């Protein structure tokens, strides 16, 4: 089979919309697919005809098929079992491809190298779902897939600063997953977890990433068709810098900076004063320039996310910049700093691209018109009906912008599944309608990052699915989700884990009164993690005793089903251990919530009857012990103490 002539084998116009077919076979739903009569028997040795510039695609396919006991080799003969080529006339969509499986062989024609890579990912899904026959031969169904992404950038951001710093093995396996979901950008959210040479005081207890680790991860991402994007917050969220001697002078509100307070507060300390750099202090730009000089050379991608979100110290009127804010206004002070950061980024090369969070500037129409045309604003919003359509302002001013929804796992333990589904789907639809060029799934770790990575897989998967094909968001039904999760996330042949993750992920709603206004968190997390002697009154008033009792029943049932799950692959055991802890922690929280509701007059946990405290403590200690074990499954030691003390605060009160 000649690669150059393979495009004549099929016509894209003859394909059916995937909406008319059962597409559970595919992790992300193709735009057009048609199954035809017949099958192809794939043997243990397969020859490949390869077009120019596709070495990376071949190596990926070769490695993956080797794991499936199929040997792949490039052949110069005119007849091949598999042919892979590029023809932008046949496939006009960027990153698009046509995969054709007939009784005679497999043909891939793509718009570009990226499209050929995604075609291989789809082919491997077909291989994995196909039946084995005599020996090591695989019987593939005949089909044709014509597919392309609706968003040119489909990214995932992982918070590694609050407080979980994952092991390299965890990151490599995560990148494998991202490739299978056709994600093409990956970011690690950095505040203080890169080992900058001159700033050891900041990161010495954080188990930071070394330059050579980032370089290795960057190379691994490239092999998987993914760009690793540099990320360093550069204004707010810098409390872990300014709390140290020698950096406090760079704070916007140095009088409010307290290392003791920052290390003692358990919930939402980042919203308090004293966590931003001063944008009008020349020393701030000197610091940031030094950070970029060390960080950027470790990435082959020339994009950097500079942060600039939530400048709360400025919004409150500032301290160091107060006089200038009164003279020029906060908007001008902020925009001057943004422009200085932009110039700094460009000083490392005119091809550098600056991403920044758009929460402040989105309401500043005049400043939007003044933005450089090559910046990329990132519009984040994590509620059900967040107005992502506001981003159209950027599009109308000729600026590429991204929608940035969330996995909705942060400030929870078991996730917030319904919030995630609604937020991720709305972002996909509103972004496409209003000219967004990218879709960045965010996975945050606010308030201790207590939820394990397996809890966030639901949101990551759906975000990938919705951003590749927004039609799948428009017609999405939760009824189909358990099977999709079992097939493409948890690989549970007994089909239990998908339903468990949904049930556990919706417990946060089950415990609330119907009129509760609690948002962007789980009440069950907030009755475990709090600052003083008793959970916040707002949280306690949102809870329903009947709902807490039903939650305990749901969690008990889920734990029984957990014993019946049969997860394949290297991650199966990790997922089961993590969910075991999640269920135990949520069950304890629900029981504790009932005790608190039965004692409305107390002013401190210590005011509970001694017998109640003793019983609660007896149940809490195993939860804390298991948290230590679960943490070590995927993460480094750094950050653990900061996360653990937030849970351990309750133990000290119960004693």
């Amino acid at each position: 089979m000649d690669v150059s002539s393979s495009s004549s084998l099929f016509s894209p116009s003859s394909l059916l919309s995937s909406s008319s077919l059962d597409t559970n076979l595919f992790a992300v739903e193709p735009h057009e697919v048609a199954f035809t009569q017949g099958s192809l028997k794939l043997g243990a040795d397969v020859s490949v005809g390869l077009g120019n510039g596709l070495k990376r695609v071949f190596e990926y396919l070769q490695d993956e098929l080797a794991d499936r006991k199929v040997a792949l080799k490039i052949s110069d003969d005119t007849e091949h079992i598999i042919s892979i080529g590029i023809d932008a006339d046949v496939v006009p969509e960027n990153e698009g491809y046509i995969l054709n499986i007939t009784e005679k062989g497999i043909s891939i024609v793509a718009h570009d190298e990226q499209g050929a890579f995604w075609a291989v990912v789809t082919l491997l899904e077909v291989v994995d779902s196909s039946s084995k026959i005599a020996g090591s031969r695989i019987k593939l169904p005949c089909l044709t897939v014509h597919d392309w992404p609706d968003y040119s950038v489909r990214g995932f951001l992982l918070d590694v600063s609050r407080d979980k710093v994952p092991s390299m093995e965890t990151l490599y396996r995560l990148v494998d997953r991202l490739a299978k979901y056709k994600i093409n950008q990956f970011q690690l959210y950095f505040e203080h977890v890169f080992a900058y040479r001159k700033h050891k005081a900041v990161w010495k207890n954080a188990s930071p990433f070394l330059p050579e680790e980032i370089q290795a991860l960057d190379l691994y991402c490239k092999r998987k068709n993914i760009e690793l994007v540099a990320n360093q917050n550069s204004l707010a969220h810098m409390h872990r810098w300014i709390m140290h001697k020698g950096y406090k002078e760079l704070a916007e509100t140095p009088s409010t900076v307290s290392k003791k307070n920052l290390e003692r507060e358990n919930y939402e300390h980042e919203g308090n004063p004293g966590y931003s750099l001063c944008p009008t202090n020349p020393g701030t730009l000197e610091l940031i320039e030094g950070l970029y000089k060390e960080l950027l050379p470790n990435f082959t991608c020339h994009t950097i996310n500079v942060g600039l979100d939530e400048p709360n110290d400025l919004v409150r009127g500032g301290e160091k910049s107060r006089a200038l804010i009164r003279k020029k206004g906060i908007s001008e002070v902020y925009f001057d700093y943004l422009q200085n950061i932009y110039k700094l980024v460009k000083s490392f090369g005119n091809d550098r691209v600056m991403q920044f969070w758009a929460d402040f500037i989105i309401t500043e129409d005049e400043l939007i018109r003044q933005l450089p045309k090559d910046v990329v604003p990132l519009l984040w919003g994590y509620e059900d009906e967040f107005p992502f359509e506001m981003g159209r302002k950027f599009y109308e001013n000729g600026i590429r912008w991204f929608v940035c929804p969330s996995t909705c796992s942060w400030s929870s333990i078991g996730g917030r599944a319904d919030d995630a589904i609604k937020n991720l789907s709305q972002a996909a639809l509103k972004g496409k309608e209003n000219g967004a060029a990218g879709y960045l799934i965010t996975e945050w770790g606010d308030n201790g990052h207590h939820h394990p990575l397996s809890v966030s897989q639901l949101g990551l998967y759906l975000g990938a699915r919705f951003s590749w094909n927004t039609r799948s968001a428009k017609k999405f039904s939760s009824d189909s989700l358990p099977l999709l999760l079992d097939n493409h996330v948890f690989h549970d042949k007994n089909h239990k884990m998908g339903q468990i993750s949904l049930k556990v992920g919706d417990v946060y709603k089950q415990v609330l009164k119907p009129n509760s206004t609690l948002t962007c968190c789980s009440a069950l997390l907030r009755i475990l993690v709090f600052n003083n002697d008793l959970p916040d009154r707002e949280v306690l008033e949102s809870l329903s005793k009947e709902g807490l009792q039903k939650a305990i029943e749901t969690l008990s049932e889920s734990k029984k089903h957990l014993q019946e799950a049969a997860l394949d692959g290297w991650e199966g055991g990790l997922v089961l251990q993590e969910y075991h802890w999640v269920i135990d922690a949520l069950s304890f929280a629900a029981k504790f919530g009932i005790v608190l509701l039965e004692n409305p007059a107390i002013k401190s946990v210590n005011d509970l009857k001694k017998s109640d405290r003793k019983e609660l403590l007896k149940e809490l200690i195993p939860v804390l012990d298991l948290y230590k074990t679960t943490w070590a499954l995927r993460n480094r030691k750094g950050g653990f103490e900061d996360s653990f003390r937030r849970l351990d605060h309750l133990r000290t009160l119960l004693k």
Side-chain angles (χ1 to χ4, degrees), residues 357-422:
W357 299 113
D359 50 295
F360 182 86
I361 208 166
I362 189 62
T363 58
E364 303 286 341
D365 291 357
E366 179 56 36
L367 297 184
I368 289 175
R369 284 189 282 272
Q370 297 177 46
L371 280 172
K373 299 305 180 185
D374 60 347
V375 297
V376 180
L378 307 172
L379 184 58
W380 60 268
Y382 309 136
E383 296 84 20
D384 175 8
E385 293 295 333
F386 182 82
F388 285 109
E389 59 270 18
M390 291 192 300
R392 190 170 188 85
K393 298 176 185 180
F394 299 122
Y395 175 72
E396 291 173 346
N397 281 277
I399 297 170
R400 295 175 71 246
W401 68 284
F402 294 2
V403 290
C404 304
S406 170
T407 62
C408 293
S409 302
W410 46 277
S411 292
S412 81
I413 290 175
R416 294 178 281 118
D418 190 56
D419 284 354
I421 293 168
K422 292 174 180 177

Side-chain angles (χ1 to χ4, degrees), residues 66 79-80 100 140 149 183 237 273 410 433 439 526 588 655:
E79 294 296 324
H80 315 287
N100 195 38
L140 305 182
I183 294 291
H237 295 277
W410 46 277
E433 290 168 1
Y439 182 105
R526 292 190 61 181
F588 171 81
K655 288 180 68 176

Side-chain angles (χ1 to χ4, degrees), residues 42 64 205 219 228 230 238 282 334 347 429 549 579 581 626:
L42 199 66
E64 291 291 322
N205 296 321
L219 179 61
L228 185 65
M238 294 293 279
Y334 176 87
S347 72
L429 295 172
Q549 290 168 334
Y579 263 90
W581 177 79
L626 189 55

Side-chain angles (χ1 to χ4, degrees), residues 106-120:
I106 300 167
S107 176
I108 290 171
V109 177
H111 179 87
D112 44 30
E113 182 195 15
Q114 290 76 23
F117 192 97
W118 303 135
V120 164

